Amino acid sequence: MSSQPALIAIFGASGDLTKRKLIPALFNLYLDKQMPAEFTILGVSRKGDAETFRTQMREAISEHSRRGDEGLEKWDEFSKRIDYINGDYADASVYERLGKRIQDDEATWGQEAAHVYYLSVPPEVFPVIADHLGSAELSKNRELDRIVIEKPFGRDLDSAEDLNKRLMASFRERQVYRIDHYLGKETVQNILAFRFANALYEPIWNRRYVDHVQITVSEEGGVEKRGGYYESSGALRDMIQNHLLQLVCLVGMEPPTSFDSDEVRNKKVDVLKAVRPLAEADLQHQAIRGQYGPGAGMAGYRQEEGVEPESSTETYAALRLHIDNWRWHGVPFYLRTGKRLPKKLSEIVIQFRPVPHLAFPPTSADSFEPNRLMINIQPDEGISLCFQAKEPGAGMRLRTVAMDFNYCEAFRMTSREAYETLLQEVLIGDTSLFMRADQEHEAWKIVMPVLLAWEGRKATSFPNYAAGSWGHAAADQLLARDGRAWHNPA
Ligand code: BG6
């Protein structure tokens, strides 16, 4: 917990993220006694007022907090710290009022506070707000003034660079917290503990023992009410450029020498820099796109609200990447993500090579499965190691069994929400779990050839997978061509 008081201004307070994630996360931190003793939450938006905002947020807690109604008796106490500034983001008086509020609160608290400006607004508004914060001198304290930026951070390499330049006109890098909420997930952070706090895995975590890596982030849901946003995004921008590439970094990085935020991020960015650029000529075998059509009683993407009837936006993307360094040369990383797949699941599969020589007769197993390590990010958070065991009884019959670690059982608690962790880190002032500008840059560089190719060539075969299926068949070919197959959980 940070003992320093904090004023958290949420720009875009009337939006979805505020009620679904931010306020429930702050309230849960409060219930867990992880908020500073003194704090103010200020909603900032063009519509609404303090009273309406508090009422709406109270309802949002019941609906979206992981605790549901539990702890709501503390809501009144918590909501006294919530206030509101109604105004246009381009209006200088909004920032004057914000500055005045900071001064007043600090005078009341008798000490300086952390000033967190959370931008939960469409990306085109980021520069306007950042510029105004700069002009109002609300960004000049390099320790206390912190800006939190929601994704998407740009829509391609150039726009991300432009956005960064605008931010850097008012803030320094260490004041900027670029959110990738996957980094706040306990199981994602646990990859570092698993790899670097155990001596057992590191010696085999390389091209000598690992055959390939699969990363699947599948969602059962469709685009729901976000058709408008999604039409300008697609799966590659929405998921691969950020969440999946972050997972690649954690699996692929070299051991850090310390857990200093820059050291960890340096090691991660090295992975992105080592990703072999996707050549246009090979793209059709390296990058697969799909869009869901109707299926299993559900509408197709083109029938969703806010979506063009002839939309060419991909709701599914699969990539094969290579990391050209000593550890990973020749080990493909297969990535896939999609909406309206059979199951919500985020999983990393480390597929090991077969044993060099099999001494057992072919009759001893129906099929020999090499070892597989599965890191389940969600929903069944844990890690499973699959290996061969002898079946009980006479003779030597082998069967694949699993050794399981389940997060909730081991720690006897449900994982907290990623946003709770991330907001707490912002309050503490630790940037480790946030994207640095150079990481954003490298991640965009990786996906750019695919983005350009897909935007340049409309998908003629869309829709090409049925809602509720495991995506476009060409993604199976992506692996089949290499003699491999996706691990599709039952
Ligand atoms: C968001 C994407 O970043 O991540 C959404 O914009 C997606 O489209 C979501 O649904 C998935 O997050 P999670 O935590 O539910 O896996």
Side-chain angles (χ1 to χ4, degrees):
M1 179 182 82
S2 163
S3 52
Q4 181 164 47
L7 184 136
I8 305 155
I10 304 177
F11 291 83
S14 53
D16 230 33
L17 187 80
T18 308
K19 69 168 189 240
R20 293 174 82 96
K21 299 286 181 193
L22 304 182
I23 296 293
L26 290 166
F27 186 52
N28 277 318
L29 286 176
Y30 182 72
L31 294 180
D32 290 335
K33 306 201 176 355
Q34 298 297 324
M35 286 297 279
E38 309 286 5
F39 69 91
T40 296
I41 300 169
L42 264 185
V44 185
S45 175
R46 275 163 301 188
K47 34 186 186 199
D49 56 68
E51 215 32 65
T52 322
F53 184 57
R54 287 190 203 107
T55 312
Q56 286 168 345
M57 293 307 112
R58 156 78 182 71
E59 286 158 16
I61 294 292
S62 301
E63 207 179 332
H64 301 294
S65 164
R66 67 179 158 87
R67 290 189 160 103
D69 284 342
E70 192 194 318
L72 264 177
E73 66 283 357
K74 296 251 182 219
W75 173 259
D76 287 345
E77 196 178 289
F78 176 81
S79 72
K80 288 199 184 90
R81 324 283 192 103
I82 300 183
D83 214 337
Y84 209 76
I85 294 183
N86 175 310
D88 195 291
Y89 305 131
D91 176 359
S93 77
V94 166
Y95 304 87
E96 278 166 30
R97 280 182 277 161
L98 176 57
K100 171 86 175 54
R101 178 62 189 249
I102 292 175
Q103 275 179 8
D104 291 350
D105 280 358
E106 289 184 341
T108 313
W109 297 332
Q111 55 177 315
E112 285 189 312
H115 317 138
V116 176
Y117 312 118
Y118 199 113
L119 272 49
S120 171
V121 290
E124 56 278 14
V125 195
F126 295 164
V128 180
I129 300 177
D131 287 354
H132 273 285
L133 289 168
S135 326
E137 304 214 324
L138 294 175
S139 65
K140 69 172 196 255
N141 189 321
R142 305 292 178 222
E143 288 302 322
L144 298 178
D145 294 325
R146 301 170 194 165
I147 187 163
V148 186
I149 312 265
E150 263 299 330
K151 74 178 254 281
F153 194 83
R155 36 178 347 267
D156 52 23
L157 186 57
D158 288 346
S159 57
E161 298 278 278
D162 288 347
L163 176 54
N164 212 42
K165 280 195 196 118
R166 287 289 287 276
L167 274 178
M168 290 304 125
S170 305
F171 292 86
R172 293 290 164 270
E173 178 62 36
R174 70 160 201 257
Q175 296 175 269
V176 183
Y177 295 72
R178 296 178 194 79
I179 293 244
D180 180 323
H181 78 276
Y182 263 59
L183 296 181
K185 291 182 191 275
E186 296 282 359
T187 36
V188 171
Q189 290 176 60
N190 188 45
I191 298 172
L192 291 181
F194 183 76
R195 285 195 56 199
F196 303 128
N198 296 295
L200 213 53
Y201 308 103
E202 209 39 34
I204 55 168
W205 207 264
N206 56 48
R207 61 191 301 271
R208 222 174 134 196
Y209 294 97
V210 177
D211 178 74
H212 71 277
V213 176
Q214 297 185 13
I215 301 181
T216 296
V217 177
S218 67
E219 296 188 81
E220 212 177 334
V223 284
E224 279 135 25
K225 301 217 173 313
R226 297 167 75 223
Y229 150 76
Y230 203 81
E231 276 289 88
S232 65
S233 168
L236 196 63
R237 284 192 178 91
D238 189 47
M239 299 294 286
I240 296 216
Q241 187 271 346
N242 34 73
H243 307 326
L244 279 90
L245 285 181
Q246 281 304 308
L247 298 179
V248 170
C249 288
L250 289 162
V251 172
M253 70 193 269
E254 294 302 317
T257 49
S258 73
F259 269 83
D260 168 72
S261 94
D262 270 328
E263 167 62 3
V264 173
R265 296 192 294 178
N266 288 344
K267 291 292 191 290
K268 290 210 256 174
V269 87
D270 283 348
V271 177
L272 298 177
K273 283 182 180 158
V275 170
R276 189 182 305 162
L278 292 160
E280 213 199 314
D282 304 332
L283 275 188
Q284 93 193 77
H285 299 309
Q286 308 255 55
I288 307 296
R289 58 177 157 169
Q291 186 192 77
Y292 64 86
M298 292 174 285
Y301 175 68
R302 291 177 176 186
Q303 286 80 55
E304 305 272 17
E305 195 183 314
V307 172
E308 290 292 317
E310 297 293 310
S311 172
S312 198
T313 302
E314 81 284 357
T315 60
Y316 178 96
L319 290 188
R320 179 178 56 189
L321 298 180
H322 282 278
I323 300 175
D324 285 336
N325 60 19
W326 276 46
R327 185 186 285 269
W328 294 118
H329 186 82
V331 179
F333 279 60
Y334 300 99
L335 278 51
R336 66 174 168 170
T337 183
K339 297 211 181 270
R340 284 276 186 251
L341 301 184
K343 197 173 176 229
K344 180 163 177 70
L345 166 100
S346 301
E347 175 189 83
I348 301 171
V349 176
I350 314 288
Q351 180 64 63
F352 290 95
R353 291 185 188 283
V355 291
H357 167 68
L358 204 59
F360 304 98
T363 49
S364 59
D366 299 332
S367 69
F368 289 103
E369 286 188 24
N371 297 125
R372 190 168 61 214
L373 183 81
M374 291 187 297
I375 303 176
N376 303 313
I377 308 289
Q378 59 187 22
D380 303 319
E381 292 117 332
I383 297 179
S384 300
L385 179 65
C386 299
F387 58 95
Q388 297 295 314
K390 181 190 172 301
E391 279 184 16
M396 181 56 84
R397 281 284 300 168
L398 301 175
R399 201 200 304 166
T400 305
V401 292
M403 211 151 61
D404 291 325
F405 152 68
N406 180 292
Y407 228 86
C408 301
E409 276 173 23
F411 294 107
R412 297 186 193 287
M413 60 189 287
T414 50
S415 294
R416 63 183 192 162
E417 283 265 338
Y419 275 93
E420 293 169 38
T421 305
L422 295 174
L423 282 162
Q424 194 177 1
E425 296 293 311
V426 178
L427 293 176
I428 293 168
D430 187 337
T431 50
S432 310
L433 297 182
F434 298 85
M435 302 280 289
R436 215 169 50 186
D438 54 345
Q439 288 180 293
E440 284 286 358
H441 177 92
E442 295 300 330
W444 276 117
K445 254 171 73 183
I446 293 170
V447 299
M448 277 319 287
V450 188
L451 272 184
L452 291 175
W454 287 358
E455 282 182 354
R457 228 179 323 113
K458 292 258 170 269
T460 47
S461 61
F462 278 2
N464 58 7
Y465 71 97
S469 70
W470 272 110
H472 185 31
D476 295 336
Q477 284 305 310
L478 189 75
L479 274 75
R481 218 173 288 117
D482 299 341
R484 301 177 175 117
W486 290 110
H487 174 251
N488 284 344

